[in-house]
Amino acid sequence: MYYHDKRLQYPVKVTTPNPQFARMLQQAIGGVEGEIRVCMQYFFQAWGNRAPTTKYRDMLLHTATEEIGHIEMLATAVALNLETAPASAQEAGAADGIVGAVMGGGSAKASIEGLIHKNLLSAGLAAMPIDSDGVPFNMSHIYASGNAAADMYCNVAAESTGRVLATRLYNATDDQGMKDMLHFMIARDTMHQQQWLAAIEDMGGTEGLPIPNSFPQSQEHQEHNYDFFVTSLDGQYPEGRWTGGPTMDGRGEFTVFRNQPMGEEPVLGSARPDSAAQAEQIGEKPQTI
Amino acid sequence: MYYHDKRLQYPVKVTTPNPQFARMLQQAIGGVEGEIRVCMQYFFQAWGNRAPTTKYRDMLLHTATEEIGHIEMLATAVALNLETAPASAQEAGAADGIVGAVMGGGSAKASIEGLIHKNLLSAGLAAMPIDSDGVPFNMSHIYASGNAAADMYCNVAAESTGRVLATRLYNATDDQGMKDMLHFMIARDTMHQQQWLAAIEDMGGTEGLPIPNSFPQSQEHQEHNYDFFVTSLDGQYPEGRWTGGPTMDGRGEFTVFRNQPMGEEPVLGSARPDSAAQAEQIGEKPQTI
Amino acid sequence: MYYHDKRLQYPVKVTTPNPQFARMLQQAIGGVEGEIRVCMQYFFQAWGNRAPTTKYRDMLLHTATEEIGHIEMLATAVALNLETAPASAQEAGAADGIVGAVMGGGSAKASIEGLIHKNLLSAGLAAMPIDSDGVPFNMSHIYASGNAAADMYCNVAAESTGRVLATRLYNATDDQGMKDMLHFMIARDTMHQQQWLAAIEDMGGTEGLPIPNSFPQSQEHQEHNYDFFVTSLDGQYPEGRWTGGPTMDGRGEFTVFRNQPMGEEPVLGSARPDSAAQAEQIGEKPQTI
Amino acid sequence: MYYHDKRLQYPVKVTTPNPQFARMLQQAIGGVEGEIRVCMQYFFQAWGNRAPTTKYRDMLLHTATEEIGHIEMLATAVALNLETAPASAQEAGAADGIVGAVMGGGSAKASIEGLIHKNLLSAGLAAMPIDSDGVPFNMSHIYASGNAAADMYCNVAAESTGRVLATRLYNATDDQGMKDMLHFMIARDTMHQQQWLAAIEDMGGTEGLPIPNSFPQSQEHQEHNYDFFVTSLDGQYPEGRWTGGPTMDGRGEFTVFRNQPMGEEPVLGSARPDSAAQAEQIGEKPQTI
Amino acid sequence: MYYHDKRLQYPVKVTTPNPQFARMLQQAIGGVEGEIRVCMQYFFQAWGNRAPTTKYRDMLLHTATEEIGHIEMLATAVALNLETAPASAQEAGAADGIVGAVMGGGSAKASIEGLIHKNLLSAGLAAMPIDSDGVPFNMSHIYASGNAAADMYCNVAAESTGRVLATRLYNATDDQGMKDMLHFMIARDTMHQQQWLAAIEDMGGTEGLPIPNSFPQSQEHQEHNYDFFVTSLDGQYPEGRWTGGPTMDGRGEFTVFRNQPMGEEPVLGSARPDSAAQAEQIGEKPQTI
Amino acid sequence: MYYHDKRLQYPVKVTTPNPQFARMLQQAIGGVEGEIRVCMQYFFQAWGNRAPTTKYRDMLLHTATEEIGHIEMLATAVALNLETAPASAQEAGAADGIVGAVMGGGSAKASIEGLIHKNLLSAGLAAMPIDSDGVPFNMSHIYASGNAAADMYCNVAAESTGRVLATRLYNATDDQGMKDMLHFMIARDTMHQQQWLAAIEDMGGTEGLPIPNSFPQSQEHQEHNYDFFVTSLDGQYPEGRWTGGPTMDGRGEFTVFRNQPMGEEPVLGSARPDSAAQAEQIGEKPQTI
């Protein structure tokens, strides 16, 4: 179970509120590479973890719990950045009217608010669990496969795209408060990348490959399990680490195979009566009067 | 079954078309607190209502049917506000080119349309069942639980957030036609809040608590059913109506409980063979060759 | 920020694992009336709360944090109920083959797993953030409007439908461990209904109506703001608390109004050239060669 | 605006309630080819219709309004079919225990309800705006393009897939009441297919092609606008009405063209600094210490 | 199976990159009328086609494969149009600062990027499978009904709305490269409209009506299968091809019917005990203590 | 651009059709770890790839093109497994009536079809772009971040969860044809895991860390970038590779830090007038009459 402290994990300050930047920050809350995702992903991986040891479960709980605090920091940052967004025609009228005049094509005063959409209209100038385009986060992005090694790669992927996003946000602002918050979050993403890679090593590294390593490789099609398949019409392909030399698991050699049909043209045959296909698909006459 | 009259329930006039405001109005059509939601919510509550009396079903049908007309009014308002949005480079070129020049970073003429996205590209300058960010309405927001009291609270919630939205839209425009339409819709939201609260009273008010009142409270965990659980690390909590005095249903006293684990650490054990976990989770050796 | 304890808030025991019941429990995790929803809803309401006092924000944080523990309990219950679900043809073959034979229409052994779908295939016999039909939770259900009274009604609605669901689950099982867990959760839902109603009273009760109470009622259409609109063809309507007597806010009288068009037939006119309408809509000849 | 009559458009009777068939009927309510879709599609097409004449708008309103009654009939049919589904372990225990025993793998009594999932758990044995797999209807399926001819083809498509579904449901039941209801709905789908095809003819038939016919065909790439493109490796293709003879609009001849690259390999070049690409993509050294 | 050539089907050039136009182009990639949709729709129709002949399956494969190349062209066009979008405050600072100053309400430098949201933040200035509002494409839009004629109408609908979109994009730009690419795509949409209409004729044209034509029309409700139902309160309706004369399938006459209830008011009765309805719905006393 | 061959990449045979297994196979088509996902993910990564070399782009195109053929194989397998599913009451009546009788609670004949839902009702016994619970694939799962290393980890994650799924399907069937097809697909997943890991090594391996390596680590918060944060109340944590020793990038040492608030309690202050908050949040009196 869980406890809270009202103070933030790290300071969140905004020198110059910027409603547009609030919208960009939303990507780090409700984007597919955002903090709700990693928080819930680590929790579900922990809660469903089955293993002789509890150490992976335990580790995941520490980091999942940390991530709630990251959502909280970002939600605070969004709210602070929205502080100067006009909420009414009266307030907008006091701002520079030029944009409204040319953009709105009409009423100058309503135009700026339109740019922040749901954060004003649905949330009253606060953060929402949406991305930077206003699309709500969908929980299908919580990857927790029941295979701990697969999950760790999902986590490396999440923290890699997460740090990519955080540095883009860092680059996009020159507000010192925001830069400070983000440079802390970027550091935590660095650690979390390291942490999941460390867990992969802890589980045996390349011993863990191919994932799942509980399926006997003797039962997979061994003729093509280390082949790079070429699908270009002219048979050309880019040479690289993947077209020759020892495989990454050390159990084979990369080779190149020019893809071609090994199967036949599929035959599904006629549609069945009562399947509501057209009569021609069934091979009967139309059943109209 | 249903009938229509081509005339609108209430006049919809737009003095100065404003494409940005059209986008804001979309929240009242396809937002989670919009009119499609209440319309369909009341219909599904009515169509599935089971009770010895038909009066709630009947009442819901009246209001659901009214709400179709509200979607219609808003759809008309969106179309009218979009009337001056340029649909082509030629039209845009005739408008003030300044915005295009600085915003588009290139072709001045294509820039303004971008701001209204799908309403131009997918609907040809008309309303769509989307919210103000262009996200389509999702019917999972139709709450119809089969419990009439729970449904009424869902309806109060819908009309409360609905009236909040409508007043934000009212504040954001200074077009007299739009203000007139909205001040009618705000009044209807006032009534609908009253109506659902009246239905709750009609069903017995606090007699109806806790919802569902058909489950014997003797079977719930009575030690903690009126406790405010404190989860702060330091045990501090905000005092209020919820931390002392008689409960809202008049059957107990609010008390405060400092949350702590009553359960144990969960034990899921090792993963099963054939579950495609890693070999380490199963407690066996890797099945690679 | 946040902390965790590895122990559960309340004991979770399963005497006889039941994969079908695991699927039903998913509704309480990822359903629209489930625990992810209330947890995240209370967090976003807290993080975005603006008021002269922090007491509502503080209260919300206590309960949001409690709810993480509820998701955890349910996730544990799902995993425990899935323990006996066969994960392979070999395991299924050991179970009663009758169902497989008649249901699968073919291979007996693969049939039972099909019933639990993604919980086996995607999660390896663990809980997921999905509902009882396997639909992922969508964060658009997090209602946090920026109006504290509207939010409290959303919360009452959530806990009312939540307790309805919990009692349905309680009724549907006869496993003593599951009944024990659920009778605790039902009690907490009782308290949370009380708590949000208490907060509404704390904010002034009917003084808070209509929501938002910061919009001058003098600006709404006062002729129809307490009228029950009748839309039946024959003008009949169900009498009730909503058709007469003082309104719930004490500021008016309910009256009945037979709905009729006050507006005109809307006129959108011809489509514009370059809007990609048909030539007939524009009133020009087809632009084909 | 709109009116209602409490009576159904056509009788809905269920002789032998069948919860499984209730789930199948859900496809006709909330499926992509269901009645919510056509109802809302026709409404949005009507409300946004721009043309010198109002006849298409008017016609659409008649049929959209009819469709509300179809949703109502199906919702009633779902509720009636759910009447015998057990809602509790006690009720299920009274039913045939065999299925529970073999299916649930444990508690016999909870198993049957699992099959109907949300209709029991979330709606209390009533219809929901979901499809037969429990997926909520998503309003992005409301096609209203602003081009009346395109819309009519969307409508023919909707009524064609709709009638396909209705006949599958008719074939799948032998309940006389359900067959009666469905044979009425199938007839209405027949008419609606005719109606939209008639509207296409009314708009000029092949004169309307290609849609939109307001774009000058002289501006499209005329070398390939009537070519069937062959993409098979061996150049073989199925001959048919589409590979020769006059085109459907009577303005050309179908010809066959063997697809081949007319463009070059695209060149995007290096990633930009500050775009958070890897250093190798930018062509610089890693920025680590 | 499939092959590729690195060159594009048709040249894609951008003279003046325009980030706003990139966003508009996204509608043609991930919009419901976009290229992912037709590509996948034709593939799923082909892969599931059942008929005595393979010619429809074969034809669909040719065109589905062509459409992959269209997604590729548009993705290239989006990336090229994004080339000048600033990715950092430093880059934005070098651009015209006026817009930033008035729009952002604060930091000038972060404002422009906000307009392209996920394409910058999540994709690093590249195309995504989203529409012009940033909403991801949802595969429920792949219509493949198992009835070949219904599918062909779905395809005509897709190509009609697709060409409407393509001409809107053509009208919205004055970049010669983009106009050239689009005038090719518009031509292909012309052909594809013709192609699916040709397939309908190939399957027998009006012989195929009503779809499905394998359901005996003698079993549908023949009293109303060619009636235009009037739902207006005053009984007025727009005359047209659909209100009189021979039906489109040549097997009847259009007639007009004034809609009225043929069914009764539905009766669902009281809620069942244990269904978690309110006690009042069940007709029992509240089960509170 | 692209070409096709009508023959399958690898043989697809079904000895004993099994509709339940068809539904399970759907997870490999439209599940988040399925083939549509990897196909489209590799295509979008290729089409948006920016780098001084085209070798990653080229490699991605080969494999993306291969994956279309995998969707095709699975779609064929689904259709073949559905062949014996009854499509009508007549057909179902001929099958074993026992299940229908006990499951349907009524009409025996309609019950079995219900188990396959949309694959029968919406697709006429064919594959759909949905997962094993009938949820449509959502394109937000296409990860293409613009950072090639992050993308490669996303790909390893996709192929790891993909191979986990494929082995679960392999374990769940004893149909020799299906086992043969799956053992080929498992082999290809093995290769693709190797391939993306090889690409990571090709890009410099740990030199690429932290991702993105174009952001100067000197700008991240260096005090905590290699700290494992402990969030347990009692300060206990699981020791592992992540709590000590050299970091995975070789540039630091893992250390342990007990998480505690470094920030303050956030202060958002009162709500603004005109933001539609409650009057109490603004600190004013209710604006009712």
Side-chain angles (χ1 to χ4, degrees), chain C residues 2 9 14 25 28 36 71 78 84 87 136 140 170 175 183 189 221 236 267 270 288:
Chain C
Y2 302 86
Q9 186 191 19
V14 174
L25 284 170
I36 294 176
I71 313 175
V78 166
T84 54
S140 60
Y170 182 93
D175 185 281
H183 104 302
D189 289 344
H221 191 80
Q236 302 231 326
V267 178
S270 296
T288 44

PDB file of all heavy atoms in Angstrom, chain C residues 2 9 14 25 28 36 71 78 84 87 136 140 170 175 183 189 221 236 267 270 288:
ATOM      1  N   TYR C   2       5.758  10.155  -3.077  1.00  0.00           N
ATOM      2  CA  TYR C   2       5.053   8.960  -2.610  1.00  0.00           C
ATOM      3  C   TYR C   2       5.985   7.873  -2.077  1.00  0.00           C
ATOM      4  O   TYR C   2       7.156   7.801  -2.451  1.00  0.00           O
ATOM      5  CB  TYR C   2       4.189   8.427  -3.763  1.00  0.00           C
ATOM      6  CG  TYR C   2       3.242   9.526  -4.191  1.00  0.00           C
ATOM      7  CD1 TYR C   2       3.641  10.486  -5.131  1.00  0.00           C
ATOM      8  CD2 TYR C   2       2.005   9.680  -3.575  1.00  0.00           C
ATOM      9  CE1 TYR C   2       2.814  11.561  -5.458  1.00  0.00           C
ATOM     10  CE2 TYR C   2       1.173  10.751  -3.890  1.00  0.00           C
ATOM     11  CZ  TYR C   2       1.586  11.686  -4.833  1.00  0.00           C
ATOM     12  OH  TYR C   2       0.776  12.740  -5.119  1.00  0.00           O
ATOM     13  N   GLN C   9      -3.045  -3.383   1.708  1.00  0.00           N
ATOM     14  CA  GLN C   9      -3.879  -2.650   2.658  1.00  0.00           C
ATOM     15  C   GLN C   9      -4.787  -3.600   3.443  1.00  0.00           C
ATOM     16  O   GLN C   9      -5.055  -3.392   4.618  1.00  0.00           O
ATOM     17  CB  GLN C   9      -4.741  -1.619   1.900  1.00  0.00           C
ATOM     18  CG  GLN C   9      -5.551  -0.709   2.830  1.00  0.00           C
ATOM     19  CD  GLN C   9      -6.587   0.118   2.107  1.00  0.00           C
ATOM     20  OE1 GLN C   9      -6.974  -0.203   0.987  1.00  0.00           O
ATOM     21  NE2 GLN C   9      -7.055   1.179   2.729  1.00  0.00           N
ATOM     22  N   VAL C  14      -7.541 -16.277  -2.055  1.00  0.00           N
ATOM     23  CA  VAL C  14      -8.431 -16.987  -2.979  1.00  0.00           C
ATOM     24  C   VAL C  14      -8.410 -18.459  -2.607  1.00  0.00           C
ATOM     25  O   VAL C  14      -7.350 -19.085  -2.640  1.00  0.00           O
ATOM     26  CB  VAL C  14      -7.980 -16.805  -4.441  1.00  0.00           C
ATOM     27  CG1 VAL C  14      -8.812 -17.671  -5.380  1.00  0.00           C
ATOM     28  CG2 VAL C  14      -8.073 -15.346  -4.841  1.00  0.00           C
ATOM     29  N   LEU C  25     -13.372  -9.544 -12.280  1.00  0.00           N
ATOM     30  CA  LEU C  25     -12.656  -8.588 -11.422  1.00  0.00           C
ATOM     31  C   LEU C  25     -11.956  -7.497 -12.236  1.00  0.00           C
ATOM     32  O   LEU C  25     -11.742  -6.383 -11.756  1.00  0.00           O
ATOM     33  CB  LEU C  25     -11.615  -9.322 -10.574  1.00  0.00           C
ATOM     34  CG  LEU C  25     -12.132 -10.128  -9.382  1.00  0.00           C
ATOM     35  CD1 LEU C  25     -11.006 -10.988  -8.809  1.00  0.00           C
ATOM     36  CD2 LEU C  25     -12.706  -9.216  -8.286  1.00  0.00           C
ATOM     37  N   ALA C  28     -13.316  -4.089 -12.203  1.00  0.00           N
ATOM     38  CA  ALA C  28     -13.034  -3.220 -11.053  1.00  0.00           C
ATOM     39  C   ALA C  28     -11.643  -2.605 -11.127  1.00  0.00           C
ATOM     40  O   ALA C  28     -11.321  -1.692 -10.376  1.00  0.00           O
ATOM     41  CB  ALA C  28     -13.196  -4.009  -9.760  1.00  0.00           C
ATOM     42  N   ILE C  36      -8.619   2.285 -11.157  1.00  0.00           N
ATOM     43  CA  ILE C  36      -7.680   3.180 -11.844  1.00  0.00           C
ATOM     44  C   ILE C  36      -8.349   4.532 -12.033  1.00  0.00           C
ATOM     45  O   ILE C  36      -7.737   5.585 -11.846  1.00  0.00           O
ATOM     46  CB  ILE C  36      -7.257   2.619 -13.214  1.00  0.00           C
ATOM     47  CG1 ILE C  36      -6.449   1.330 -13.045  1.00  0.00           C
ATOM     48  CG2 ILE C  36      -6.430   3.643 -13.987  1.00  0.00           C
ATOM     49  CD1 ILE C  36      -6.083   0.663 -14.370  1.00  0.00           C
ATOM     50  N   ILE C  71      -6.093  -0.780  -6.360  1.00  0.00           N
ATOM     51  CA  ILE C  71      -5.733  -1.404  -7.640  1.00  0.00           C
ATOM     52  C   ILE C  71      -4.813  -2.585  -7.357  1.00  0.00           C
ATOM     53  O   ILE C  71      -4.958  -3.667  -7.931  1.00  0.00           O
ATOM     54  CB  ILE C  71      -4.991  -0.405  -8.572  1.00  0.00           C
ATOM     55  CG1 ILE C  71      -5.692   0.957  -8.645  1.00  0.00           C
ATOM     56  CG2 ILE C  71      -4.850  -0.997  -9.979  1.00  0.00           C
ATOM     57  CD1 ILE C  71      -4.922   2.009  -9.463  1.00  0.00           C
ATOM     58  N   VAL C  78      -6.721 -10.924  -9.162  1.00  0.00           N
ATOM     59  CA  VAL C  78      -6.811 -11.452 -10.526  1.00  0.00           C
ATOM     60  C   VAL C  78      -5.728 -12.513 -10.740  1.00  0.00           C
ATOM     61  O   VAL C  78      -5.996 -13.606 -11.239  1.00  0.00           O
ATOM     62  CB  VAL C  78      -6.674 -10.317 -11.567  1.00  0.00           C
ATOM     63  CG1 VAL C  78      -6.426 -10.869 -12.973  1.00  0.00           C
ATOM     64  CG2 VAL C  78      -7.930  -9.455 -11.572  1.00  0.00           C
ATOM     65  N   THR C  84      -4.988 -21.435 -11.861  1.00  0.00           N
ATOM     66  CA  THR C  84      -5.280 -22.774 -12.385  1.00  0.00           C
ATOM     67  C   THR C  84      -5.678 -22.775 -13.857  1.00  0.00           C
ATOM     68  O   THR C  84      -6.016 -23.816 -14.400  1.00  0.00           O
ATOM     69  CB  THR C  84      -6.418 -23.423 -11.579  1.00  0.00           C
ATOM     70  OG1 THR C  84      -7.521 -22.522 -11.581  1.00  0.00           O
ATOM     71  CG2 THR C  84      -5.977 -23.697 -10.167  1.00  0.00           C
ATOM     72  N   ALA C  87      -2.258 -23.110 -19.393  1.00  0.00           N
ATOM     73  CA  ALA C  87      -1.507 -22.242 -20.292  1.00  0.00           C
ATOM     74  C   ALA C  87      -1.041 -22.987 -21.531  1.00  0.00           C
ATOM     75  O   ALA C  87      -0.459 -22.391 -22.430  1.00  0.00           O
ATOM     76  CB  ALA C  87      -0.302 -21.641 -19.568  1.00  0.00           C
ATOM     77  N   PRO C 136      -9.042  -1.758 -23.008  1.00  0.00           N
ATOM     78  CA  PRO C 136      -8.139  -0.987 -22.154  1.00  0.00           C
ATOM     79  C   PRO C 136      -8.810   0.253 -21.584  1.00  0.00           C
ATOM     80  O   PRO C 136      -9.632   0.881 -22.246  1.00  0.00           O
ATOM     81  CB  PRO C 136      -7.006  -0.561 -23.109  1.00  0.00           C
ATOM     82  CG  PRO C 136      -7.171  -1.357 -24.339  1.00  0.00           C
ATOM     83  CD  PRO C 136      -8.592  -1.820 -24.406  1.00  0.00           C
ATOM     84  N   SER C 140      -9.650   9.373 -20.775  1.00  0.00           N
ATOM     85  CA  SER C 140     -10.644  10.439 -20.917  1.00  0.00           C
ATOM     86  C   SER C 140     -11.683  10.366 -19.800  1.00  0.00           C
ATOM     87  O   SER C 140     -12.434  11.318 -19.600  1.00  0.00           O
ATOM     88  CB  SER C 140     -11.340  10.356 -22.283  1.00  0.00           C
ATOM     89  OG  SER C 140     -11.992   9.118 -22.428  1.00  0.00           O
ATOM     90  N   TYR C 170     -19.452  -9.228  -5.526  1.00  0.00           N
ATOM     91  CA  TYR C 170     -19.666  -9.940  -4.262  1.00  0.00           C
ATOM     92  C   TYR C 170     -20.770 -10.984  -4.440  1.00  0.00           C
ATOM     93  O   TYR C 170     -20.632 -12.139  -4.020  1.00  0.00           O
ATOM     94  CB  TYR C 170     -20.050  -8.930  -3.184  1.00  0.00           C
ATOM     95  CG  TYR C 170     -20.258  -9.519  -1.807  1.00  0.00           C
ATOM     96  CD1 TYR C 170     -19.220  -9.571  -0.890  1.00  0.00           C
ATOM     97  CD2 TYR C 170     -21.511 -10.000  -1.416  1.00  0.00           C
ATOM     98  CE1 TYR C 170     -19.411 -10.102   0.381  1.00  0.00           C
ATOM     99  CE2 TYR C 170     -21.717 -10.533  -0.153  1.00  0.00           C
ATOM    100  CZ  TYR C 170     -20.663 -10.574   0.748  1.00  0.00           C
ATOM    101  OH  TYR C 170     -20.864 -11.109   2.009  1.00  0.00           O
ATOM    102  N   ASP C 175     -16.556 -17.594  -3.115  1.00  0.00           N
ATOM    103  CA  ASP C 175     -15.236 -17.842  -2.547  1.00  0.00           C
ATOM    104  C   ASP C 175     -15.078 -16.948  -1.315  1.00  0.00           C
ATOM    105  O   ASP C 175     -15.201 -15.719  -1.414  1.00  0.00           O
ATOM    106  CB  ASP C 175     -14.167 -17.531  -3.604  1.00  0.00           C
ATOM    107  CG  ASP C 175     -12.771 -17.876  -3.130  1.00  0.00           C
ATOM    108  OD1 ASP C 175     -12.190 -17.085  -2.364  1.00  0.00           O
ATOM    109  OD2 ASP C 175     -12.276 -18.950  -3.525  1.00  0.00           O
ATOM    110  N   HIS C 183     -15.954  -7.257   0.685  1.00  0.00           N
ATOM    111  CA  HIS C 183     -16.776  -6.601   1.709  1.00  0.00           C
ATOM    112  C   HIS C 183     -15.988  -5.458   2.368  1.00  0.00           C
ATOM    113  O   HIS C 183     -16.580  -4.508   2.883  1.00  0.00           O
ATOM    114  CB  HIS C 183     -17.348  -7.639   2.685  1.00  0.00           C
ATOM    115  CG  HIS C 183     -16.724  -7.737   4.029  1.00  0.00           C
ATOM    116  ND1 HIS C 183     -15.387  -7.998   4.241  1.00  0.00           N
ATOM    117  CD2 HIS C 183     -17.283  -7.637   5.275  1.00  0.00           C
ATOM    118  CE1 HIS C 183     -15.148  -8.050   5.538  1.00  0.00           C
ATOM    119  NE2 HIS C 183     -16.270  -7.832   6.173  1.00  0.00           N
ATOM    120  N   ASP C 189     -16.094   2.073  -0.335  1.00  0.00           N
ATOM    121  CA  ASP C 189     -16.949   2.807  -1.279  1.00  0.00           C
ATOM    122  C   ASP C 189     -18.064   3.535  -0.524  1.00  0.00           C
ATOM    123  O   ASP C 189     -18.449   4.649  -0.900  1.00  0.00           O
ATOM    124  CB  ASP C 189     -17.570   1.849  -2.302  1.00  0.00           C
ATOM    125  CG  ASP C 189     -16.556   1.315  -3.302  1.00  0.00           C
ATOM    126  OD1 ASP C 189     -15.453   1.883  -3.419  1.00  0.00           O
ATOM    127  OD2 ASP C 189     -16.855   0.314  -3.983  1.00  0.00           O
ATOM    128  N   HIS C 221     -30.928  32.446 -19.250  1.00  0.00           N
ATOM    129  CA  HIS C 221     -32.283  32.628 -19.760  1.00  0.00           C
ATOM    130  C   HIS C 221     -33.270  32.248 -18.662  1.00  0.00           C
ATOM    131  O   HIS C 221     -33.612  31.095 -18.493  1.00  0.00           O
ATOM    132  CB  HIS C 221     -32.444  31.727 -20.986  1.00  0.00           C
ATOM    133  CG  HIS C 221     -33.686  31.977 -21.775  1.00  0.00           C
ATOM    134  ND1 HIS C 221     -33.815  33.013 -22.670  1.00  0.00           N
ATOM    135  CD2 HIS C 221     -34.853  31.309 -21.825  1.00  0.00           C
ATOM    136  CE1 HIS C 221     -35.005  32.973 -23.232  1.00  0.00           C
ATOM    137  NE2 HIS C 221     -35.655  31.940 -22.741  1.00  0.00           N
ATOM    138  N   GLN C 236     -48.167  14.289 -22.734  1.00  0.00           N
ATOM    139  CA  GLN C 236     -48.208  13.651 -21.416  1.00  0.00           C
ATOM    140  C   GLN C 236     -46.813  13.593 -20.816  1.00  0.00           C
ATOM    141  O   GLN C 236     -45.820  13.510 -21.531  1.00  0.00           O
ATOM    142  CB  GLN C 236     -48.770  12.240 -21.567  1.00  0.00           C
ATOM    143  CG  GLN C 236     -50.158  12.206 -22.183  1.00  0.00           C
ATOM    144  CD  GLN C 236     -51.112  11.394 -21.362  1.00  0.00           C
ATOM    145  OE1 GLN C 236     -50.745  10.398 -20.747  1.00  0.00           O
ATOM    146  NE2 GLN C 236     -52.355  11.824 -21.324  1.00  0.00           N
ATOM    147  N   VAL C 267     -30.324  27.941 -41.944  1.00  0.00           N
ATOM    148  CA  VAL C 267     -29.993  28.143 -43.351  1.00  0.00           C
ATOM    149  C   VAL C 267     -28.476  28.242 -43.502  1.00  0.00           C
ATOM    150  O   VAL C 267     -27.859  29.214 -43.072  1.00  0.00           O
ATOM    151  CB  VAL C 267     -30.639  29.433 -43.896  1.00  0.00           C
ATOM    152  CG1 VAL C 267     -30.239  29.638 -45.363  1.00  0.00           C
ATOM    153  CG2 VAL C 267     -32.151  29.377 -43.753  1.00  0.00           C
ATOM    154  N   SER C 270     -25.485  27.611 -49.911  1.00  0.00           N
ATOM    155  CA  SER C 270     -24.718  26.784 -50.828  1.00  0.00           C
ATOM    156  C   SER C 270     -23.306  26.558 -50.309  1.00  0.00           C
ATOM    157  O   SER C 270     -22.787  27.348 -49.515  1.00  0.00           O
ATOM    158  CB  SER C 270     -24.649  27.454 -52.203  1.00  0.00           C
ATOM    159  OG  SER C 270     -25.943  27.549 -52.751  1.00  0.00           O
ATOM    160  N   THR C 288     -15.770  18.366 -64.708  1.00  0.00           N
ATOM    161  CA  THR C 288     -15.099  17.330 -65.471  1.00  0.00           C
ATOM    162  C   THR C 288     -14.915  17.865 -66.875  1.00  0.00           C
ATOM    163  O   THR C 288     -15.498  18.876 -67.264  1.00  0.00           O
ATOM    164  CB  THR C 288     -15.929  16.048 -65.437  1.00  0.00           C
ATOM    165  OG1 THR C 288     -17.288  16.414 -65.655  1.00  0.00           O
ATOM    166  CG2 THR C 288     -15.816  15.391 -64.069  1.00  0.00           C
TER     167      THR C 288
END
